[in-house]
Amino acid sequence: MLRLERRPEASQLMSYASPAIAIALMLIGGLLLFTFLGKNPIEGFKVFFINPISDLWGVSELLLKATPLMLVAVGLAVGFRANVWNIGAEGQLVAGGVAASAVALYFQESEGAHVLILMVIAGCIGGMLWAAIPAFLKTRFNTNEILVSLMLVYVAQLMVSWLVHGPMMDPDGFNFPQSAMFEDSALLPLLFDDGSRVNLAFVFAIGALLAGYIFMFRSFGGFQMQVAGYAKDAARYAGFSAKRMIWIGLLSGGAMAGLAGMSEVSGPMGQITEHVSSNYGFAAIIVAFVARLNPVGIFFASLLMALLYLGGEQAQQYMNLPSSISNVFQGMLLLFLLGSDVFINYRLRWKEGS
Amino acid sequence: MESSILSSILFATIVAGTPLIIVALGQLIAEKSGVLNLGAEGMMSMGAIAGFAVTFETGNVWLGVLAGMAAGALMSWLFAVVVLTLMGNQVATGLALSIFGVGLSAFIGKPYEAEILPTVGAIRIPLLADIPIIGNPLFNQQILVYFSWALFGAIVWFLYRSRPGLVLRAVGESPSSAHSIGYPSIRIRYMATLFGGAMAGIGGAFLSVFYTPLWVEGMVSGRGWIAIALVVFATWRPFRVMVGAYLFGGVMVAQLFVQGSGLEVNIPSQFLSALPYLATIIVLVIISRDQNTVRLNAPVSLGQPYRPDA
């Protein structure tokens, strides 16, 4: 019978091939899903994966959607490398969006670049503060950061709901739960003047990926976190501070998620509503894993994940399917990836009897 | 406070605590075998939509609960394959299961969003239900409330009084030792995980078929995660799971308390809704402050992959 056998050493090849296998399996799963729903699978595939990027506008939308994913994923990857499980990026993103919006609304009458600069700072700090709660509780009381950061997602969503129903509500907005539209000085400048919505945040994202790369592979701190991720005891023996890693891991995730929140309210949204995030905080976790916690990989995985978002919108529009089909694809992708990762350390062998 | 208000608060608390008990006890069994399944939120969501859809289509509540159970078990089987057979990371896989389950349930549930199920009648236990104040909350309840108590009894007996329960705990402490004296550690972990999934499915079905009774995307709203926190809070002991679940149930119906108190308080509803999540954090802090309690009670192999060498 077929058995799994441990490889003498981990397969470098498989650690890169595994995401490709997972993507292939996800596509097959998608074809089956379309068939099962009584839709033509080829048609579904085309609507989902080809149509969204068949023109320049589509590609620009892809970059727009991928931007927050890149930001959040690279921030999370820093922590994930040291097994610091920040699952609450969604909440940190909302907190950053709220903080940035507060600045935008405070400076409504104000012109000049300082508004945007302050919004960026506020966004990062907002996200960091939200992430500092699990970091503090983890380092001080050893409280599980997964559960705490996750609970704070719900708290953040309730907070923004309260704010847009109360203090931040547009006074002239006919009681809609949303803020006033931001002034131009509080909006991120567009990168191209061809009508596309790609804005300065994309540059932030590329910068964050570069910074993440340098930290992870070219700095001692990044090396320490890598060691801690592979062998906790070795890191402790070498005297690397576990608490410091927890703080770095969570704060980097929080800062980037907060910046992503800022770039949403200050970019495509132009105001704050109850729906600051479209699940970017959770999708970015998948991005980080599919990318093997590598910034180069995160760039491409974010594009793929963004395509799943756009595909979901298309499927809703043209195939009358709920847009939550995106989440189904995203979840499938991660499950397949985690499953096919077994072949990094194991191989299939045919064994007689036993 | 009037006794009728007290009685109705107690009633609501027990109802709100029930899904937490069922889900958390299921996770307790899985964790006792060493499997940490963070996918409870996804399994509950799938249980909720499966339960709702089948009840709606067939008109039969029992088929609905069974469907919820099956959906939860199926999800946990998926988890078990990745984690136990393919040795995937338990934390990441559980997370994936949550994302997948919440997404898939939203997808499946779209056509049911505007529908409402008829309210399921309570089962009244004669005489006992006539006891003032506590009679109605305790003995005039949905059948799944009674089920949660029976489940508690069964699990206490299983874990501490039966041989299979002993084996299960042994696997959770040291799967290799259990394996070396002839117990199939992996198969036992499979069964424990499936049981946890089935219970999460029933918990989800309770929400959509008995509690609300309707289907809304995201209606599980963190209860799966709270149930996981509850197991930690209870330091893996069934009785504490019960107590904790009712405490959380009480926090969840805090709005009733505020109304019942007759005070003129002007608290935004979002603050009251945030209480269960904040309470979860506070409780986790209190329990983790003393690391020895957690370490002494947690199954030693919890969350660690195991693969027999042979």
Side-chain angles (χ1 to χ4, degrees):
Chain A
M1 54 191 260
L2 272 180
R3 308 208 87 188
L4 285 171
E5 180 189 84
R6 188 172 260 286
R7 292 179 194 268
E9 55 188 298
S11 160
Q12 202 67 37
L13 175 71
M14 272 312 297
S15 79
Y16 292 109
S18 169
I21 294 173
I23 292 169
L25 287 173
M26 176 195 71
L27 292 178
I28 295 170
L31 291 181
L32 289 175
L33 183 66
F34 286 130
T35 317
F36 180 71
L37 292 167
K39 313 274 175 189
N40 179 348
I42 306 299
E43 171 74 14
F45 182 86
K46 192 167 159 285
V47 168
F48 210 96
F49 294 102
I50 311 289
N51 284 7
I53 44 171
S54 54
D55 54 16
L56 214 56
W57 160 261
V59 174
S60 76
E61 285 294 290
L62 190 74
L63 295 181
L64 183 74
K65 275 261 188 280
T67 299
L69 293 170
M70 288 177 194
L71 284 168
V72 181
V74 72
L76 290 179
V78 169
F80 286 176
R81 291 179 87 87
N83 286 335
V84 177
W85 299 108
N86 176 7
I87 304 305
E90 182 84 356
Q92 292 142 24
L93 192 153
V94 171
V98 164
S101 301
V103 171
L105 296 172
Y106 182 81
F107 286 104
Q108 247 167 345
E109 310 292 314
S110 191
E111 294 285 317
H114 65 280
V115 181
L116 267 179
I117 294 170
L118 285 175
M119 281 175 76
V120 168
I121 295 171
C124 289
I125 289 180
M128 282 163 92
L129 281 178
W130 215 248
I133 300 169
F136 172 74
L137 297 180
K138 173 83 176 179
T139 50
R140 182 76 177 73
F141 301 111
N142 212 358
T143 312
N144 182 312
E145 78 277 20
I146 299 177
L147 292 167
V148 173
S149 62
L150 200 107
M151 288 294 119
L152 287 170
V153 172
Y154 295 98
V155 177
Q157 281 164 349
L158 288 162
M159 174 182 73
V160 73
S161 160
W162 169 66
L163 285 171
V164 296
H165 279 97
M168 282 189 171
M169 187 157 72
D170 183 1
D172 311 317
F174 307 102
N175 258 344
F176 278 109
Q178 56 193 31
S179 75
M181 295 303 289
F182 295 169
E183 299 294 322
D184 284 348
S185 60
L187 295 179
L188 285 166
L190 299 176
L191 288 187
F192 314 106
D193 50 6
D194 59 355
S196 72
R197 300 196 291 165
V198 183
N199 59 46
L200 193 62
F202 183 69
V203 179
F204 295 164
I206 300 299
L209 288 174
L210 277 172
Y213 187 88
I214 291 167
F215 176 78
M216 288 176 198
F217 300 111
R218 294 281 179 273
S219 82
F220 187 50
F223 171 72
Q224 288 181 328
M225 297 190 75
Q226 180 81 74
V227 172
Y230 278 133
K232 205 169 142 201
D233 293 334
R236 198 174 48 213
Y237 186 70
F240 302 163
S241 162
K243 289 191 175 183
R244 214 175 121 242
M245 292 183 209
I246 291 167
W247 276 105
I248 293 176
L250 273 155
L251 289 186
S252 62
M256 289 303 102
L259 184 58
M262 178 271 169
S263 71
E264 283 300 293
V265 295
S266 174
M269 294 174 74
Q271 65 179 157
I272 188 161
T273 72
E274 279 185 279
H275 310 285
V276 181
S277 178
S278 322
N279 248 336
Y280 293 132
F282 292 112
I285 296 171
I286 303 177
V287 168
F289 275 114
V290 173
R292 294 260 163 270
L293 310 180
N294 180 322
V296 181
I298 288 173
F299 179 82
F300 293 105
S302 297
L303 293 178
L304 172 68
M305 199 62 67
L307 180 59
L308 294 183
Y309 271 109
L310 295 181
E313 288 170 13
Q314 296 272 326
Q316 182 176 30
Q317 211 172 338
Y318 297 108
M319 297 177 76
N320 206 14
L321 291 170
S323 65
S324 45
I325 191 172
S326 303
N327 302 57
V328 179
F329 274 96
Q330 293 170 0
M332 268 203 295
L333 179 61
L334 183 51
L335 277 174
F336 285 136
L337 176 80
L338 295 164
S340 57
D341 274 357
V342 71
F343 298 109
I344 297 173
N345 286 310
Y346 292 84
R347 59 187 165 203
L348 278 175
R349 269 293 166 85
W350 183 263
K351 271 197 185 160
E352 299 286 319
S354 108
Chain B
M1 200 184 290
E2 276 184 56
S3 66
S4 68
I5 294 174
L6 191 66
S7 184
S8 67
I9 289 175
L10 206 58
F11 190 94
T13 299
I14 288 176
V15 174
T18 296
L20 295 178
I21 293 177
I22 298 174
V23 179
L25 286 178
Q27 286 314 299
L28 178 85
I29 292 294
E31 291 190 21
K32 276 284 186 188
S33 82
V35 177
L36 176 66
N37 185 350
L38 294 180
E41 185 81 4
M43 300 189 295
M44 276 186 88
S45 303
M46 286 300 290
I49 185 55
F52 187 91
V54 169
T55 308
F56 183 78
E57 301 294 349
T58 65
N60 187 327
V61 175
W62 302 115
L63 285 179
V65 173
L66 269 180
M69 190 174 103
L74 195 68
M75 290 289 283
S76 66
W77 175 78
L78 210 64
F79 174 84
V81 169
V82 174
V83 159
L84 297 177
T85 302
L86 302 177
M87 282 154 298
N89 179 320
Q90 294 193 7
V91 171
T93 310
L95 205 62
L97 197 70
S98 274
I99 297 174
F100 180 62
V102 172
L104 187 59
S105 63
F107 180 70
I108 299 172
K110 208 72 191 174
Y112 297 98
E113 282 219 302
E115 311 293 350
I116 297 181
L117 289 178
T119 314
V120 184
I123 294 180
R124 188 182 164 85
I125 298 176
L127 295 180
L128 287 175
D130 295 325
I131 304 171
I133 301 178
I134 61 164
N136 206 44
L138 288 179
F139 302 111
N140 188 16
Q141 281 284 13
Q142 303 285 359
I143 188 146
L144 283 182
V145 172
Y146 303 128
F147 168 76
S148 71
W149 299 341
L151 182 68
F152 166 73
I155 281 178
V156 169
W157 176 83
F158 171 78
L159 278 179
Y160 302 109
R161 292 276 179 276
S162 83
R163 194 168 174 81
L166 188 68
V167 173
L168 178 91
R169 286 190 289 153
V171 169
E173 296 302 323
S174 171
S176 52
S177 311
H179 179 77
S180 67
I181 53 170
Y183 291 111
S185 291
I186 296 291
R187 197 184 310 158
I188 289 167
R189 284 189 162 184
Y190 253 97
M191 290 192 293
T193 309
L194 285 178
F195 178 78
M199 291 307 112
I202 294 181
F206 176 80
L207 289 178
S208 64
V209 179
F210 292 85
Y211 193 42
T212 38
L214 44 81
W215 163 259
V216 191
E217 182 180 340
M219 66 180 290
V220 177
S221 61
R223 284 185 180 84
W225 294 101
I226 291 178
I228 291 168
L230 208 52
V231 180
V232 181
F233 163 69
T235 54
W236 294 270
R237 278 178 279 194
F239 180 68
R240 291 191 174 194
V241 167
M242 291 283 278
V243 175
Y246 287 135
L247 277 176
F248 274 98
V251 175
M252 283 178 176
V253 295
Q255 249 152 332
L256 265 179
F257 287 90
V258 174
Q259 285 159 9
S261 69
L263 291 172
E264 283 292 319
V265 272
N266 198 5
I267 310 172
S269 66
Q270 289 93 346
F271 283 67
L272 292 173
S273 305
L275 282 178
Y277 310 114
L278 295 173
T280 306
I281 295 174
I282 292 167
V283 159
L284 282 172
V285 168
I286 292 170
I287 204 71
S288 348
R289 266 174 58 203
D290 182 9
Q291 265 308 292
N292 284 332
T293 342
V294 176
R295 205 173 301 143
L296 283 175
N297 290 292
V300 174
S301 75
L302 184 61
Q304 282 159 16
Y306 167 70
R307 183 174 165 73
D309 297 321

